Structures are given as structure tokens and as C-alpha cells.
Amino acid sequence: MPRRHIHASSSMLPSLGLSPGSLADIDAAYDYNVETDPPAIEPVEHRIRLDFMAGGAIRYDQLLTNSDSRECDAAESDPWHRAGRAKPLGMQYAEGTCQRRLTEEVRYYESYDDEDVLVDAPAFLAHRLRQARSAADPEAALRSERDRRETWYRTLIPRLNLCSVLKRSSYGTLIDDGSGEMPEDHDLLEYNGFVGVIVLDHDHDPETYARERNLPSRYVVREQDLSSGKAEEGALSSEYGLDLPAPLLVGEYASGSRYPLLPWSDGLVCSCPFKTGAPWRVMCKHELLASIVLGAQESIFLPVTDGLDIPYRARRFVSPTVASTHTPQLPDDEWP
């Protein structure tokens, strides 16, 4: 299997060895196996990241409480309206993205037997539509997949995923102390950081590896010693096909956790259990924080606030292709 190796600026650092699934889908070496690989970062996920980047900082008093976001009412009414709170602009943009994406995907169902059309479809959707073609009742399989996808855009993403993240008990643990002031970019990074580190497998000793390469030992860590290695459903770097040792960005958060951000599908994916334990989720609180930080910096590359100078590919949070084409917009009417 061909791999892409990206070299760091320092000869003391290992190269970043990427599997085909870690590349952009326009790369000649790109190869994503929907049956065996971790979930791809779909186009809608990149768009939602850009929506929150454009939406600006989120105040503590805009976040929901557990009682505001009752999951049993997820599809019945808007939780911000029920709670009498101002809905974050990024959330409104994300709702608009879900609405438009649902409309844009209609053409794939209408031409699900045309490979020239499916080549532009998200990898997972294209896979499901190819399965529908060979089903005993293709039309029934097609309707089932279309209903599943509509549920994803109308309920799972905006209500069960994003509403869960936009809680005081979730994103609220990464920002201010509840004063209700709007945190600026530098305030977010005062309590949270993005640290350039070398991630090792269990066969390497961090102290020995650092000493042999004259590196500060605090920036060399085994993947099992990060929060994702200690969580039952957390994702290890090696599970995403990365060659270890690898220079990666690790988010160190006010909540006390440390999760590596893994290069995948032309962006970065957080390795926390919230994402890896439920593949239908498109954003966790750590990715939301990254989006807000990047929005303030007007960049798609996360900063290294401490640690080693890792390659740009290990910092690229959003697909450049999507970033150059997506314009955040409000939904056309009441959503869902």
C-alpha cells in the first residue's frame, strides 16, 4: 500500500507517514475503504467547521444546560427557543449547511446507478448506494438510505450531536468560568493549548527516544499515555494508519484531557471517545474549540502553542478545497 511521507523541518523529528485514507480524495494515492477504515471526514463536516469558524466566539450564556436540550424533544422544537437563549451564529450556519446538503444530495439518489455521478458523492454514501443497486429490492434499499441520510441531516447532526456539544457541561468546560463574557482567541488558548509532540508506540521508551535525539522529553509520549489511549472507545493514532513515531498535534484542554488530532480525509479528526464511539457524530467539543480558534486567526492551520515544530499537514484542520468553495449561510426557513 503506497504511503505519503512528509518530512519535518528538523532532522531530529521523524517524518509523518500517512496512509492513503489520510490524503485528499483528489490525491492520486488516495484510497479509502469504507468497510475497514475509520469513518471518513465527510464534506458536511468540513463545512460545519467552517460555519463555526465564521460564526465567531460563543458566549457561555449561549450554551444550553442539560434541561434545555432534552434529547426526547430533539425533533420537536428548537432548544434555544425553549430556553430563551441566543443561538450561536455558527449553529445557525450549520443548520443552513445541513439543509443545503440534504438538497444537494438528491441527485445521487436520482442517478444512483450512474458511476459518473457517484464519483462526486461522499465516500460512505456512494458505498451505500452501490449496495442498494445490488439489493433484492433496489428501490426499497434506495428509499431506506435516503431516509437514513435525511435523519442524519435533520435530527442526528443538529439536535443529537451539535446540541450536545453546545452545552455548559460540554464546550462550557473548555471556555470561561461562567461569567457570560465573550472569550477572545487568546483567552481560549490561555486555558487550552495545541502542543507539537512525537507520539510513540508501546515498544519505544519516551525518555530514551528524546535523549538520543536531543529533544525535550516532555514533548515525547506513548500513544497509550494520552487520554485516547486510556479511554475504552478512544482512537489510537495507529488505528488511523499513521506510522509511529509520528509528529502530531495534541490538544491539551482546560478539562484536563489530552487528545491527539489525527490527519485523516484531508483534515484532522479528534481521537476522543465522543467521536470514535459514535461515527455519525460530526463534531466534538475539542473540534468546536479548534474551529473557534481558527476563525479568530483566519486560518485553516491550527497553531502550535507549545512544543515541537510539526509539519503543516499535522495542523491542517479543514480541507483547502472545501474552504475555498464553502460560504456559510443561514437556513432558508425554519429548520428542521
Side-chain angles (χ1 to χ4, degrees):
M1 180 182 294
R3 303 184 68 81
R4 180 84 71 234
H5 288 272
I6 300 174
H7 296 282
S9 58
S10 170
S11 61
M12 295 295 99
L13 304 184
S15 62
L16 180 62
L18 301 174
S19 68
S22 304
L23 307 175
D25 59 6
I26 59 174
D27 193 300
Y30 172 78
D31 182 19
Y32 173 63
N33 187 331
V34 71
E35 295 280 11
T36 60
D37 287 337
I41 306 176
E42 290 215 2
V44 69
E45 296 178 61
H46 288 288
R47 294 185 185 192
I48 287 174
R49 292 175 179 188
L50 292 163
D51 291 335
F52 280 102
M53 287 167 63
I58 297 173
R59 300 190 310 271
Y60 192 89
D61 61 16
Q62 290 179 297
L63 298 176
L64 301 169
T65 65
N66 287 336
S67 59
D68 293 333
S69 57
R70 296 185 300 274
E71 291 191 352
C72 61
D73 294 333
E76 296 179 9
S77 62
D78 184 281
W80 281 273
H81 178 75
R82 288 200 310 267
R85 300 180 187 276
K87 182 185 294 188
L89 181 58
M91 179 64 189
Q92 297 179 58
Y93 285 149
E95 290 173 335
T97 287
C98 287
Q99 183 187 65
R100 292 193 306 281
R101 192 64 193 166
L102 189 60
T103 301
E104 291 168 0
E105 289 185 359
V106 168
R107 70 188 186 98
Y108 301 128
Y109 306 110
E110 294 177 342
S111 304
Y112 75 111
D113 57 350
D114 187 339
E115 280 298 320
D116 290 338
V117 172
L118 292 190
V119 73
D120 294 326
F124 185 78
L125 177 59
H127 172 72
R128 300 279 290 198
L129 294 181
R130 291 185 182 109
Q131 287 184 320
R133 290 199 307 239
S134 58
D137 187 343
E139 292 301 321
L142 183 65
R143 287 194 300 271
S144 176
E145 180 57 26
R146 189 167 184 170
D147 289 345
R148 188 199 65 81
R149 199 79 172 178
E150 182 166 351
T151 298
W152 194 44
Y153 286 127
R154 287 189 176 274
T155 302
L156 296 182
I157 293 177
R159 295 291 178 257
L160 299 188
N161 181 178
L162 298 181
C163 285
S164 294
V165 171
L166 289 164
K167 287 183 180 179
R168 295 181 180 182
S169 60
S170 182
Y171 183 66
T173 65
L174 304 182
I175 56 175
D176 66 9
D177 58 3
S179 64
E181 297 296 324
M182 180 176 289
E184 300 294 340
D185 169 52
H186 68 275
D187 295 320
L188 292 177
L189 294 180
E190 182 178 351
Y191 303 106
N192 306 277
F194 299 103
V195 183
V197 305
I198 302 302
V199 176
L200 308 177
D201 59 28
H202 68 278
D203 292 329
H204 285 81
D205 175 64
E207 292 287 343
T208 302
Y209 188 93
R211 183 175 60 254
E212 291 176 347
R213 290 159 181 78
N214 196 29
L215 296 171
S217 60
R218 65 183 180 278
Y219 301 132
V220 181
V221 60
R222 287 193 183 101
E223 63 175 349
Q224 290 89 346
D225 293 333
L226 295 168
S227 298
S228 50
K230 299 175 182 178
E232 184 175 347
E233 291 185 325
L236 295 178
S237 308
S238 52
E239 293 181 73
Y240 277 74
L242 297 174
D243 288 342
L244 298 182
L248 297 174
L249 200 63
V250 169
E252 296 189 351
Y253 302 105
S255 57
S257 59
R258 293 193 303 163
Y259 289 107
L261 294 155
L262 307 176
W264 191 244
S265 303
D266 205 23
L268 298 177
V269 63
C270 181
S271 58
C272 75
F274 185 81
K275 287 291 293 292
T276 57
W280 54 265
R281 291 175 176 150
V282 299
M283 177 172 279
C284 65
K285 64 182 180 181
H286 310 111
E287 293 173 349
L288 174 59
L289 176 81
S291 298
I292 303 301
V293 168
L294 288 178
Q297 298 189 352
E298 298 184 347
S299 173
I300 64 172
F301 295 93
L302 284 166
V304 176
T305 60
D306 191 16
L308 306 175
D309 186 17
I310 61 174
Y312 276 96
R313 178 62 189 91
R315 295 171 44 203
R316 190 176 71 212
F317 188 63
V318 180
S319 161
T321 301
V322 180
S324 66
T325 57
H326 178 63
T327 301
Q329 299 177 43
L330 298 175
D332 293 335
D333 49 29
E334 186 176 351
W335 180 260

